[in-house]
Amino acid sequence: MNNSKIISIMLLRAIAALSVCIVHIQMICNLHINSLIDYLTNLGQQGVVIFFVISGFILPYSLYQKNYVLKDFFSFLLRRSIRIDPPYWCIIALSFVLGAVPVSLLNLNSALLHFFYLVPFVKGANWFLGIFWTLSIEFQFYLLLGIFFPFLMRIKANLSILILIGLSITCILSRLYYHGVIIEQMPDFVIGFIAFMAYVKKISLTKGLLILFAFSAYLMIFVSIKTGAIPLLTALFILLYKSQKEIQPLYFLGKISYSLYLIHYPLTLFLVGKFSLYTTNKYVLFFGCILLSILGAYIFYLLVERYALKLSKVIRLSR
């Protein structure tokens, strides 16, 4: 099955991207309705967690389909880099053009730190835009997955899962959390990986669900309700959503989700600055920025992302 045809993944991507988009646009527009709605809207930040669980599922699934071996490591990294980096670089350039990021922040050092996703590892360094931190996490996951996936597939499935859960719990107990470093998000990727193991029948669906519930319960008890519940719900949706019917609006948003994630923040900063000259109605600003972010994401997808996607598919892994 083609990755893009796993309908549950496309729908989750749409929900995740739109959730993050809404919470950031509400923040930039300084729109406050009431405490309950603001709290619910703020949950949109969990869209990032959904993306991490998706990566924990879909990348192992893709490597599994391609019979990935360690000698494919650099081809795998190159493929992911071509898929992810050109749109990211274009958004960095666009952010300066739109004035979302001051040009004074651009220098050789900051450019190199962004190019190699090293900002979290350099004291005093900051992202041009806060949304970029997730891309560094993803790239760290690519490195770890590319190195250890063959080993995890070679040993027994139960042992693979036990090692990963043990690693996650160790990360939690160590409390060595650094924003932008994968340690804090390790459970999200592991839950996605457990879902992958059940999806490809390395373990039974029943066993997979039991492990997911048990691990998520640990996270809810010893970390927070959201830390366990959001990844669990994401994994359950991947495994249990069986419909192959494409819900067109959500499928469309899922298709452009990466572009939407990248463009909504700098574009909204630009739009709010311009629209504020003509209206003080924050609802108009809010909904206008959402619609224009979706439109901008679609245009960006057509002009940039789809070509990066096509080019990445040129890189073949051995079979």
Side-chain angles (χ1 to χ4, degrees), residues 140-171:
Q140 293 165 51
F141 177 63
Y142 301 159
L143 290 171
L144 293 174
L145 182 67
I147 293 170
F148 293 109
F149 183 77
F151 167 74
L152 293 172
M153 290 297 97
R154 197 159 50 242
I155 63 178
K156 291 185 177 181
N158 290 341
L159 181 57
S160 292
I161 292 171
L162 183 62
I163 289 172
L164 292 175
I165 290 177
L167 178 62
S168 295
I169 292 175
T170 301
C171 289

Side-chain angles (χ1 to χ4, degrees), residues 8-14 16 47-61 138 141 188-189 191-193 234-235 238 257:
S8 60
I9 295 294
M10 297 300 287
L11 297 182
L12 284 169
R13 282 175 175 157
V48 170
V49 172
I50 296 174
F51 277 128
F52 290 151
V53 176
I54 290 172
S55 291
F57 170 86
I58 202 67
L59 289 175
Y61 177 71
E138 289 281 349
F141 177 63
D188 303 331
F189 292 107
I191 285 177
F193 188 88
T234 303
I238 292 171
S257 59

Side-chain angles (χ1 to χ4, degrees), residues 10 17 251-261 293-295 297-299 301-302 305:
M10 297 300 287
Y251 193 85
F252 167 75
L253 288 176
K255 182 178 177 181
I256 65 167
S257 59
Y258 183 48
S259 290
L260 180 58
Y261 180 80
S293 290
I294 293 172
L295 176 60
Y298 180 56
I299 294 171
Y301 173 83
L302 293 177
E305 186 189 349

Side-chain angles (χ1 to χ4, degrees), residues 84-157:
I84 298 299
D85 289 342
Y88 163 60
W89 298 333
C90 288
I91 287 297
I92 290 177
L94 184 64
S95 297
F96 286 107
V97 171
L98 294 177
V101 181
V103 178
S104 59
L105 295 180
L106 181 61
N107 54 60
L108 180 60
N109 184 59
S110 63
L112 289 175
L113 291 181
H114 279 72
F115 188 88
F116 293 106
Y117 300 105
L118 294 175
V119 171
F121 304 98
V122 177
K123 187 176 181 180
N126 294 294
W127 295 106
F128 292 141
L129 290 174
I131 60 171
F132 294 152
W133 74 273
T134 62
L135 302 185
S136 177
I137 295 287
E138 289 281 349
F139 191 76
Q140 293 165 51
F141 177 63
Y142 301 159
L143 290 171
L144 293 174
L145 182 67
I147 293 170
F148 293 109
F149 183 77
F151 167 74
L152 293 172
M153 290 297 97
R154 197 159 50 242
I155 63 178
K156 291 185 177 181

Side-chain angles (χ1 to χ4, degrees), residues 20 29 102 108 125 129 174 180 194 207 213 291 293 298 306 314:
V20 172
C29 293
L108 180 60
L129 290 174
S174 71
I194 295 168
K207 180 183 285 188
F213 275 107
L291 293 174
S293 290
Y298 180 56
R306 68 169 175 165
V314 174

